[in-house]
Amino acid sequence: MLFEYSLLTDKKEVEPLTDFLMDRGAYSVSIEDADAETEREKPIFGEPGIEIDDFAWDSSRLKVLCGDDFDIEGALEAALKEEGLKKPGLESRIEVPDNDWVRITQAQFTPTQIAGDLWIVPSWHEPPNPDAINIRLDPGVAFGTGTHPTTRLCLEWLHDHNLEGKSVLDYGCGSGILAVAAKKLGASRVLGTDIDPQAIEAADYNAEVNRADASFYLPEDMPDEKFDVVVANILSNPLRLLAPALLARVKKGGYLVLSGILERQAEELIEVYGSYRPDSPLSVWKSMDGWICLAGQIH
């Protein structure tokens, strides 16, 4: 029998506490931002063009997976006495059933209709409509399976606008899903960039599987060119810092599409981008489940 414990701790304690719990017999410890989806959310992995100095969240949630014989209270007391670590807050204890996790995970990812004839289809499913625009994509190490509202909003924008003969840049490409979709929707030239080498590898693989002619680069290797459409599905803080870089990548008359933005953050982002290009205001194109997509034509 397995149990998962949820612990709250600060950034100074995360690494030593994780190491201590693993040494005491925990099977795994995963780390999450305890402030995720709040105003205190903090990007630590960086985006193209952004330097990150502090690779730790101010408040972290540790998910500790261990056997039923693991004494979590004893381990935390020992961490305090032996290592001088502060005792974290114990949020919850959940029994984890012994299941076929591969099958269960696959069952969570079924074919998803994004808009009209655009579908995301995992490899273990047959497309509901073989004649539709089917993007084959499995969950992996890079962000972007098409199910999150921010990704769906970008996919819907791409679907609803004529991309025939257009060039598209997927900025912060993750799995490459937006680049692949753009190519399948008629874009003539598609590039993607990400700061994470694993994302580049995943995007290359997904483009190959989908027979989509798209190229992906680390930021330092990106060709110096402008695009008819630049789409960036990141987070509010990186988007704020990246405003000059993103605007510089859009051709005159082209479009900038931004997502990863909470509804309460929209006006601030509109003001930031408007301060650089007052003649090219962004506006809310669509919202979904508390997230919004900003878009505008750059003159």
Side-chain angles (χ1 to χ4, degrees), residues 11 16 47 65 85 88 98 163 217 231 241 281 290 292:
K11 63 182 179 182
E47 298 295 347
L65 184 67
L85 300 174
D98 185 13
L163 300 182
Y217 302 89
V231 57
L241 297 172
I292 61 100

Side-chain angles (χ1 to χ4, degrees), residues 121-154:
V121 184
S123 62
W124 50 83
H125 281 280
E126 289 299 317
N129 178 7
D131 297 324
I133 301 173
N134 294 303
I135 299 176
R136 287 293 196 175
L137 191 74
D138 297 340
V141 296
F143 175 79
T145 60
T147 58
H148 194 275
T150 62
T151 311
R152 289 189 64 123
L153 286 166
C154 293

Side-chain angles (χ1 to χ4, degrees), residues 173-232:
C173 61
S175 68
I177 183 172
L178 300 181
V180 170
K183 189 63 183 180
K184 283 182 166 286
L185 290 165
S188 58
R189 177 165 170 77
V190 179
L191 273 65
T193 183
D194 202 291
I195 199 170
D196 184 355
Q198 284 188 299
I200 301 300
E201 184 178 341
D204 279 330
Y205 173 80
N206 289 324
E208 182 179 356
V209 166
N210 286 280
R211 298 180 181 177
D213 183 13
S215 302
F216 301 93
Y217 302 89
L218 292 170
E220 59 269 23
D221 300 326
M222 265 290 293
D224 184 17
E225 60 184 277
K226 295 178 182 286
F227 299 83
D228 296 305
V229 176
V230 174
V231 57

